[in-house]
Amino acid sequence: MNAPRVVALGGGHGLAASLQSLRHLTEEITAIVTVADDGGSSGRLRHEFGILPPGDLRMALAALCEDTAWGHQWSAVLQHRLSGDGELAGHALGNLLIMSLWELLDSPVGGLDLVGKLLNTRGRVLPMCEVPLDIEATVVGADPAAPDEITVVRGQSAVAKTPGRVVNVRIVPEAPAASHPAIESIKLADWVILGPGSWFTSVMPHLLVPDLQEALVHTPARRILTLNVGLDDDETQGFSPAEHLEVLSAHAPELTLDYVIADPAVVRSEERALREVAQGVGAELVVSPVRKMRRPREHDTLRLAAAYRDVIIGG
C-alpha cells in the first residue's frame, strides 16, 4: 500500500509535534506554515530585512530531519541560538541560514527546499504565503480596567499574550495570495491535519487566506483537527473544547471535518457538547490519550502518532 500523502498546517511547537508524530506513519509529508510571527529572532529579521519570519519554518524543518546521527546533528544546528550580548545574540542559527538562502535564490520556496535537501528531511516545508502577514484580533477586555471594552489588538505576539477574550481574528493584508505549491499539495493530499497549536495565531490563520480556505474546503482529502492538550493559554483563556471548534467553524463556515482528536483529560465532562459540535461539522470525535505524563500541556509524539495511525489506517 502506498504511503498516505499528508499535509499538516500550523506553526510553532504544535506543528512540530504533529510532524514528528506523522514521521512514524509516512514520509509523504508537507508542512504548510504560518508567516505572521513578529516576535523574537523571527520578528527582528522580519522587521530589519523585510523577509518572511523564518522561525516557524525552521522548527518544521527541524522536526522533519531524518532519524539518523546526521539528521539529529543538523536539527540541533538549526535550533541553536547564538549567545552573547551583540547584535546576533538570541538569533537561531537556522533562521540566519534560511534568510541567507532566500537572499541567494530570491525564492522562499526554493530556499526552504534547499535546506530540506541539506538536512535530508522526510517531507517538505512550505510557507502558506510568500509575503509576511500580520494578525489582527477584536478583543473584549484587553484592558483589565475596562472588562467590557472592545479593542483591536494587532500582531501575533500581542494577540498571543492578550489578557482579554478574543472574539475574532483576521489577517493583514486581508486577501493575500497563497503559496501555489501549498495549494497544490492540499489538492493532492490524502489527509489534511489542522492543529495542534496556538488557536488564533497558529491554527486559524490558514483559514483566513481565501485561496487556502477554498482549497481546504474542496480538497478530496479527509480532514483531521487535533485539539490542544492545554486549553488555558492566553489566547483561549476560558474557552471550552467545544468553543475551540465553534470559533474555528465560525471563521470557515463551509469547512467540514472528518475527525476531531482530543485527549480525555481535555474532554472530561465536556465530551457530550464537544461530540455534538464535532458532528455539526461532519466529524467523528476520537478521544485518545495523546499528552505527556510528566508535561501534560505537551503532546506525546508517540501517543499522537498512534492516534493518527488509528484514524488514517482505519479511515
Side-chain angles (χ1 to χ4, degrees):
M1 189 174 80
N2 293 331
R5 292 170 295 189
V6 181
V7 172
L9 303 96
H13 295 284
L15 177 61
S18 183
L19 295 175
Q20 289 170 344
S21 300
L22 289 168
R23 284 179 46 193
H24 294 283
L25 306 180
T26 182
E27 293 187 358
E28 296 293 325
I29 304 170
T30 301
I32 301 177
V33 185
T34 56
V35 289
D37 191 3
D38 61 356
S41 171
S42 284
R44 290 162 60 190
L45 294 173
R46 169 182 174 169
H47 294 309
E48 184 174 352
F49 297 98
I51 61 171
L52 294 176
D56 286 354
L57 296 159
R58 179 200 80 244
M59 290 182 66
L61 285 163
L64 290 175
C65 282
E66 64 178 346
D67 191 16
T68 63
W70 174 270
H72 295 163
Q73 183 64 66
W74 272 104
S75 178
V77 169
L78 280 187
Q79 301 287 55
H80 176 70
R81 290 191 181 273
L82 302 176
S83 58
D85 300 316
E87 293 184 0
L88 291 178
H91 278 303
L93 188 57
N95 289 353
L96 301 178
L97 172 62
I98 292 169
M99 183 185 74
S100 299
L101 289 171
W102 283 345
E103 288 187 350
L104 287 170
L105 300 178
D106 193 28
S107 168
V109 171
L112 294 169
D113 284 343
L114 189 54
V115 178
K117 290 179 181 178
L118 174 66
L119 276 55
N120 201 18
T121 55
R122 297 302 191 247
R124 192 181 190 195
V125 174
L126 299 169
M128 71 177 190
C129 298
E130 296 189 23
V131 295
L133 306 176
D134 281 320
I135 293 175
E136 194 173 79
T138 302
V139 180
V140 177
D143 181 357
D148 297 323
E149 185 178 12
I150 298 175
T151 57
V152 173
V153 176
R154 182 163 177 171
Q156 180 271 334
S157 55
V159 173
K161 297 176 182 177
T162 180
R165 183 179 178 90
V166 177
V167 177
N168 59 60
V169 289
R170 51 203 162 270
I171 54 174
V172 181
E174 185 176 342
S179 165
H180 179 71
I183 296 294
E184 288 302 306
S185 69
I186 292 172
K187 291 179 178 178
L188 297 173
D190 299 310
W191 292 86
V192 171
I193 297 177
L194 281 164
S198 300
W199 212 245
F200 287 110
T201 57
S202 290
V203 177
M204 289 181 50
H206 299 81
L207 304 178
L208 306 178
V209 178
D211 291 344
L212 271 180
Q213 183 179 139
E214 183 179 1
L216 289 168
V217 167
H218 296 292
T219 178
R222 307 187 78 178
R223 307 169 191 86
I224 300 172
L225 177 69
T226 312
L227 288 180
N228 293 333
V229 289
L231 300 180
D232 57 349
D233 61 8
D234 289 336
E235 289 187 15
T236 52
Q237 188 72 39
F239 281 65
S240 69
E243 286 175 315
H244 278 73
L245 185 49
E246 286 172 343
V247 75
L248 185 143
S249 183
H251 285 76
E254 294 184 19
L255 180 67
T256 58
L257 301 170
D258 294 282
Y259 297 93
V260 174
I261 296 177
D263 188 271
V266 170
V267 174
R268 293 179 181 170
S269 61
E270 303 276 352
E271 181 172 344
R272 181 176 178 180
L274 178 58
R275 193 175 299 277
E276 288 178 355
V277 176
Q279 289 174 346
V281 295
E284 174 186 340
L285 176 63
V286 177
V287 180
S288 180
V290 292
R291 67 176 185 165
K292 292 181 178 179
M293 297 298 293
R294 295 186 179 180
R295 285 182 282 181
R297 291 176 58 83
E298 298 178 14
H299 279 86
D300 182 303
T301 55
L302 290 178
R303 285 181 159 193
L304 185 56
Y308 285 151
R309 178 202 61 209
D310 291 345
V311 169
I312 291 174
I313 303 303

